[in-house]
Amino acid sequence: MALHLLHKKDSLMLPLAATLQAVAQTVESCQVCGNWDTQNPCHLCTDGRRDKTILAVVENVADLWAMERAQRFRGLYHVLGGTLSALSDVAPEALRIPSLVDRCRQGGIEEVILALNATIDGQTTAHYVAAALEGLPVRLTRLAQGVPIGGELDYLDEGTLGAALMARLPL
Ligand SMILES: [Zn+2]
């Protein structure tokens, strides 16, 4: 990649360097939700059309963008900045859990959706967050697990198929 950029120094490398510098100078982490944006609080937190009573807790900004691409969620977000991991030595203090508890304490939030990865670290973090929010007047939910759109039962792993059975819906 570096060699390709050097071959196209004027047409590619210098404009890319200028763009990266501009991004580094203007983009910052939202003080409310942890999203990256050129304004702080970010455009999602300040959008009056979004439902401020629902909060989706995600691991990182890439997950927030994935949720936005789905175009189904119209609430607000809280980016944890990672997941608890014994292997990677990520402790609760390293995540934005205290600020999540503060947001829920301030009131106005009725539901917190734990939109975390269906991995061991993601589920460990979900349990920790649920414990941290215990006693607060918010309804805790998590994303459903099951058959993916276009998925064939024959190719599903037993864990996913079992979760889909447990989370079945009336027709
Ligand atoms: Zn924000």
Side-chain angles (χ1 to χ4, degrees), residues 30 32-35 41-42 45:
C30 173
V32 180
C33 73
N35 186 19
C42 73
C45 287

Side-chain angles (χ1 to χ4, degrees), residues 157-169:
D157 65 279
E158 292 81 7
T160 305
L161 193 50
L165 263 171
M166 298 304 287
R168 65 191 183 277
L169 298 168

Side-chain angles (χ1 to χ4, degrees), residues 24-36:
Q25 286 169 346
T26 55
V27 175
E28 56 184 321
S29 178
C30 173
Q31 63 194 13
V32 180
C33 73
N35 186 19
W36 291 108

